[in-house]
Amino acid sequence: MLIDSQYLIFTAIILIASIIVLKLKILDFIGTISSIFMGNLIYIVTGIGGFILVVEFFVIGFICTRFRFKQKRRKGIAQEKGGIRSWQNVVANGFAFSLFGTIYYLTNNELFLVGFITAIAIATGDTLATEIGLLSSKKPRLITNFNEVETGKSGGITVLGSLASILGIMIIIISSSINGFSFNMNIIILSIFGAIFGTFIDSIIGATIQAQYFCDKCNKFTELSIHHEQQNKLIKGYSFIDNNIVNLLSTLSGSIISILLIIVFY
């Protein structure tokens, strides 16, 4: 009966939070509905501690997306739709940690709990790398050859964005211990390395096989197939590998790397 009462309280909280999310325009309507289902799943399979980690990711992502948003907009590098995320963004970022959380629930194997936490850390680190990196005074360099590229180009990295990414990763992984997931320092360090590898994989995929287009109207490279209500020309990569697919692949692979690092070195 106590568990039922706790779940009813959680459901009320998540519904109130969803209204706030809509009001603040963090997610669109379908994205909000998707996040409610995902939030319930995370609560069921990892408890309140896992749910709090996911909330941390959303809050950090929202703050960083809106940070100096007008400046990003003036440069033409701000998120589309005022930074409002869709259900595709929710699923792309949340698939890996939902998967590993569910496997942990079914197996009670803590390696998958590490995968769950690492996936959230990668999603957070990637968001910070992008949103804070866009504000760098120096042009990004392509991760594959370190040549200078235009701000916002897929696969481009900056020192500022990389440091912000590592900070975001550390916040999630270290705070997981505060939220009730007790790991020793070796596992924490290996998880941080795995998450950092995951963000590197994100940039490598972005620089090599992610779809990249050129918008004739604004004379800029873009990840969007349609910009200014017109179809853009694919100049590199594969059309089916968009930013959401890149996020999904990087969170999955980085989490698997964390698990393998722990198996090999711990």
Side-chain angles (χ1 to χ4, degrees):
M1 190 70 180
L2 179 61
I3 295 175
D4 290 341
S5 299
Q6 289 176 342
Y7 185 72
L8 285 173
I9 293 170
F10 165 77
T11 302
I13 291 171
I14 201 171
L15 287 174
I16 293 169
S18 299
I19 294 171
I20 296 171
V21 163
L22 282 171
K23 289 288 185 181
L24 292 177
K25 298 182 178 180
I26 299 174
L27 298 170
D28 62 18
F29 180 75
I30 300 178
T32 302
I33 298 300
S34 302
S35 70
I36 290 173
F37 281 107
M38 188 170 291
N40 273 273
L41 173 63
I42 296 303
Y43 178 80
I44 290 168
V45 299
T46 65
I48 191 64
F51 178 73
I52 290 172
L53 285 180
V54 175
V55 171
E56 284 182 35
F57 158 61
F58 275 108
V59 170
I60 292 171
F62 170 71
I63 292 171
C64 291
T65 300
R66 297 302 173 90
F67 182 63
R68 295 189 178 178
F69 189 80
K70 290 182 180 178
Q71 180 182 338
K72 297 172 189 175
R73 179 180 283 166
R74 283 196 300 270
K75 291 182 178 180
I77 52 177
Q79 288 283 345
E80 295 289 312
K81 301 178 182 178
I84 302 174
R85 311 285 177 166
S86 66
W87 70 268
Q88 292 97 328
N89 300 126
V90 173
V91 173
N93 283 297
F95 177 81
F97 54 73
S98 298
L99 174 66
F100 286 109
T102 302
I103 298 174
Y104 165 68
Y105 177 77
L106 295 174
T107 64
N108 203 33
N109 187 327
E110 287 199 343
L111 282 174
F112 296 109
L113 181 59
V114 170
F116 164 77
I117 295 168
T118 303
I120 300 173
I122 294 168
T124 305
D126 178 55
T127 301
L128 266 67
T130 301
E131 296 299 336
I132 302 301
L134 289 173
L135 300 172
S136 175
S137 59
K138 295 183 179 180
K139 283 194 172 184
R141 293 183 178 272
L142 200 65
I143 193 170
T144 51
N145 57 24
F146 293 102
N147 290 335
E148 282 191 354
V149 292
E150 292 300 316
T151 300
K153 186 172 176 60
S154 301
I157 59 173
T158 63
V159 173
L160 180 63
S162 297
L163 291 174
S165 175
I166 293 171
L167 176 61
I169 287 168
M170 292 179 68
I171 288 172
I172 294 296
I173 292 178
I174 292 174
S175 70
S176 67
S177 296
I178 301 172
N179 291 333
F181 302 119
S182 180
F183 299 109
N184 65 41
M185 188 55 66
N186 290 332
I187 291 179
I188 289 173
I189 291 171
L190 291 172
S191 299
I192 290 172
F193 275 113
I196 292 172
F197 275 121
T199 59
F200 284 155
I201 290 169
D202 184 283
S203 296
I204 291 169
I205 296 174
T208 53
I209 60 175
Q210 181 179 351
Q212 297 183 39
Y213 302 88
F214 189 80
C215 178
D216 293 322
K217 196 164 184 178
C218 61
N219 202 35
K220 287 184 178 180
F221 292 100
T222 176
E223 298 173 351
L224 303 173
S225 60
I226 298 175
H227 202 215
H228 298 300
E229 299 182 352
Q230 67 178 24
Q231 182 69 43
N232 293 326
K233 181 182 178 182
L234 180 68
I235 59 168
K236 189 178 181 181
Y238 300 93
S239 59
F240 61 91
I241 302 180
D242 61 9
N243 190 58
N244 290 323
I245 296 297
V246 174
N247 289 340
L248 190 152
L249 292 175
S250 64
T251 49
L252 275 175
S253 55
S255 298
I256 291 171
I257 288 172
S258 279
I259 292 171
L260 292 176
L261 285 174
I262 292 169
I263 291 172
V264 172
F265 294 107
Y266 182 68

